[in-house]
Amino acid sequence: MKRSVLKMSAMLLVASVVASGACGKEAKKPTGKTVANDPNKLICRKYPVTGSLVATTKVCHTRAEWSHLSDQARRDTEQLQDPKNGTVSQ
């Protein structure tokens, strides 16, 4: 039980970092036309590797995929925090 809670906590932590984009930067990909919110624009974000001061992991998705990942992380977090699911101990 404790292992599953720890695994879920770790997944939520990673999902929240991905969703927040606080550590990420957008990669500039040259295109012929400039569209403000193009859902197909490729965005790369770098995340620090735990236990290293310099190593990073680069993750690339389209703007639409980042939006989907953010929405999914938010829904998962809300579901875990919902007392009706019985997963939150009081």
Side-chain angles (χ1 to χ4, degrees), residues 4-37:
S4 63
V5 171
L6 288 174
K7 284 181 184 179
M8 188 59 75
S9 297
M11 287 180 12
L12 285 174
L13 178 62
V14 170
S16 66
V17 169
V18 169
S20 71
C23 299
K25 296 181 182 177
E26 293 186 12
K28 295 183 179 180
K29 183 179 177 184
T31 59
K33 57 183 177 179
T34 303
V35 178
N37 290 322

Side-chain angles (χ1 to χ4, degrees), residues 9-26 43-48 57-74 76-77:
S9 297
M11 287 180 12
L12 285 174
L13 178 62
V14 170
S16 66
V17 169
V18 169
S20 71
C23 299
K25 296 181 182 177
E26 293 186 12
I43 299 173
C44 296
R45 297 178 179 168
K46 291 183 181 179
Y47 297 100
T57 299
K58 185 176 180 180
V59 180
C60 297
H61 292 290
T62 64
R63 187 179 306 261
E65 290 171 333
W66 281 118
S67 177
H68 175 74
L69 289 170
S70 176
D71 292 343
Q72 185 63 43
R74 182 185 44 77
D76 291 346
T77 302

